Amino acid sequence: MRHAPTILHLDMDAFYASVEQASKPSLRGKAVVVGGLGPRGVVATASYEARVFGVHSAMPVGQARRLAPNAAYLVPRFGLYRAVSEQVMALLRELSPLVEPLSLDEAFVDLEAGGTAWDEESARLAGIKLRADIRAVTGLTGSVGLAASKMLAKIASEQAKPDGLVIIEPGSERALLGPMPVRTLPGVGPATGDHLRRAGITTVEELAEAGEDELVRLLGKAHGHALYAMALAQDERPVVAEREAKSVSVEDTYDVDIHDRLRIALEVQRLADRCVGRLRGAGLSGRTIVLKVRRYDFSTLTRSETLRGPTDDPAVVREAAARLLDSVDTTGGVRLLGVGVSGLADYTQEDLFAQAMPSRAAQAPEEPVAEAAPERPEPVERHWRAGQDVRHAEYGPGWVQGSGLGRVTVRFETPQSPPGRVRTFSVDDPALEPAEPLPLVLAETRVPLEAQDSSDPASLPKSWSGTDGGAAVSRP
């Protein structure tokens, strides 16, 4: 393990909810829950104001509503989240060529590989400047952990939340880890944690004291060796530059089980088109088409078909997905459908139409399918979802607060405006249209990054520094 805290772990604070608060001035400082809003929806992210009531990620939305009935419940806007994530990842790549994204809001960075940091002080300044740059470019906050290994850097960023910076000094790792629960370590989930608890092991210190042989006996050779090394603060995993995607997929969960076979087939066709859209957006193609079906009884089936060569042709993917659906019994209804493409490549095999079944192609040509399942429904059939971006011909941009009984309520505001006014319209009002999200920070209002001097504390956000359990801490 290296001898300087030059591995950085960034974790954006309550990312989805923070993006929504930044986008909607009326929600700043208030409880916000992002997730599926139907009866089977789950919480994707809750703002810190909502977490006070016990709301957390992966909780059923119904339970969250009981805990925080006055919170704002919004559908996710993944397109906007991805756009903001790309801005953040670009800032990380300025620090080093070795950036390992874990998700849209989380990544490791090897500062030493980029020549950005070589000791504790240079690492601290890099972390402070990164947080300032993220705030300037996105308007959001992120928590930064710095340590000599990936495991410790991630633990440090957890300690830094929200909106803080924690450095774990080399030599202090064992003292810091000792009193922590075993679930702190990577690879210790609920089942392993319960198994260790029954053996009388609840802290990292007790894990180290148990010894390698005992852990191998309890957990098996590979897991036992790995956990013992981590309990001793040993983690040699390198930061791996951004991995290539292994697959591209989309899926939908339905509030009410779908029983009609034709409706199921049309949903699969629609998902196939969405999947190809993502595939083309990434400049990729793929050989293997995968269909996922979760039935009424929660049983999940997957079927796949491998083509002769990679494709990004929607007709070919639709045909393959339809053939796969033919092999699945949907009696009793389905609650989830998904279509994916794997075996990715950056080129396509041009002549793949021969793989589509001619008889099916004759029965369901491309155009009628598109007409049967339009991406843009007629205005009278529009459904407005809470949090959705809209624009009114007279009142301008806003977002949907709620809808029902033929009416839709919209709050008209932008990320740069004061909290806006609320107005209600008929759901089929021709002056109201879906819109694209607005940028969280206008380019002309950003502080130029080159104007921020990380060596000058006056140019950076105010913070205080101290020590806590061997860790140098800096928080707003």
Side-chain angles (χ1 to χ4, degrees), residues 391-464:
R391 176 176 288 274
H392 191 273
E394 179 180 355
Y395 301 109
W399 57 279
V400 175
Q401 281 203 166
S403 65
L405 301 177
R407 311 292 287 176
V408 55
T409 301
V410 177
R411 184 180 289 274
F412 291 98
E413 59 186 4
T414 70
Q416 291 78 37
S417 75
R421 297 187 63 181
V422 173
R423 296 183 182 274
T424 299
F425 308 92
S426 170
V427 294
D428 58 358
D429 189 326
L432 190 66
E433 293 289 341
E436 292 298 317
L438 297 173
L440 301 185
V441 177
L442 296 177
E444 57 267 27
T445 66
R446 294 175 186 164
V447 177
L449 302 188
E450 60 272 17
Q452 300 177 14
D453 181 2
S454 62
S455 65
D456 177 10
S459 71
L460 299 170
K462 292 182 179 179
S463 62
W464 60 265

Side-chain angles (χ1 to χ4, degrees), residues 17 88 92 136 150 177 208 212-213 283-284 306 322 356 374 391 459 468:
V88 173
L92 297 182
K150 291 168 69 172
L177 283 177
E212 189 171 13
D213 292 341
L284 297 170
T306 299
R391 176 176 288 274
S459 71
D468 181 14

Side-chain angles (χ1 to χ4, degrees), residues 315-331:
V316 175
V317 176
R318 283 198 300 263
E319 285 293 318
R323 289 195 296 274
L324 294 171
L325 180 62
D326 285 343
S327 67
V328 176
D329 179 10
T330 59
T331 304

Side-chain angles (χ1 to χ4, degrees), residues 278-405:
R278 289 191 181 181
L279 198 68
R280 288 182 167 181
L284 297 170
S285 60
R287 294 186 62 216
T288 301
I289 315 304
V290 181
L291 175 71
K292 177 180 178 181
V293 179
R294 180 165 297 148
R295 299 191 290 190
Y296 69 98
D297 58 357
F298 286 90
S299 61
T300 302
L301 305 176
T302 57
R303 300 287 187 268
S304 64
E305 175 181 319
T306 299
L307 308 176
R308 290 196 302 269
T311 184
D312 65 353
D313 192 305
V316 175
V317 176
R318 283 198 300 263
E319 285 293 318
R323 289 195 296 274
L324 294 171
L325 180 62
D326 285 343
S327 67
V328 176
D329 179 10
T330 59
T331 304
V334 301
R335 58 189 296 122
L336 177 147
L337 292 168
V339 174
V341 177
S342 60
L344 301 183
D346 57 3
Y347 65 95
T348 59
Q349 176 78 33
E350 294 296 334
D351 186 19
L352 282 172
F353 266 101
Q355 303 203 41
M357 295 175 65
S359 59
R360 182 179 299 280
Q363 296 170 12
E366 183 175 347
E367 289 303 319
V369 168
E371 291 174 4
E375 288 296 323
R376 294 287 303 271
E378 293 299 318
V380 294
E381 298 175 356
R382 289 186 298 184
H383 296 285
W384 303 104
R385 304 186 301 166
Q388 178 182 354
D389 293 283
V390 296
R391 176 176 288 274
H392 191 273
E394 179 180 355
Y395 301 109
W399 57 279
V400 175
Q401 281 203 166
S403 65
L405 301 177

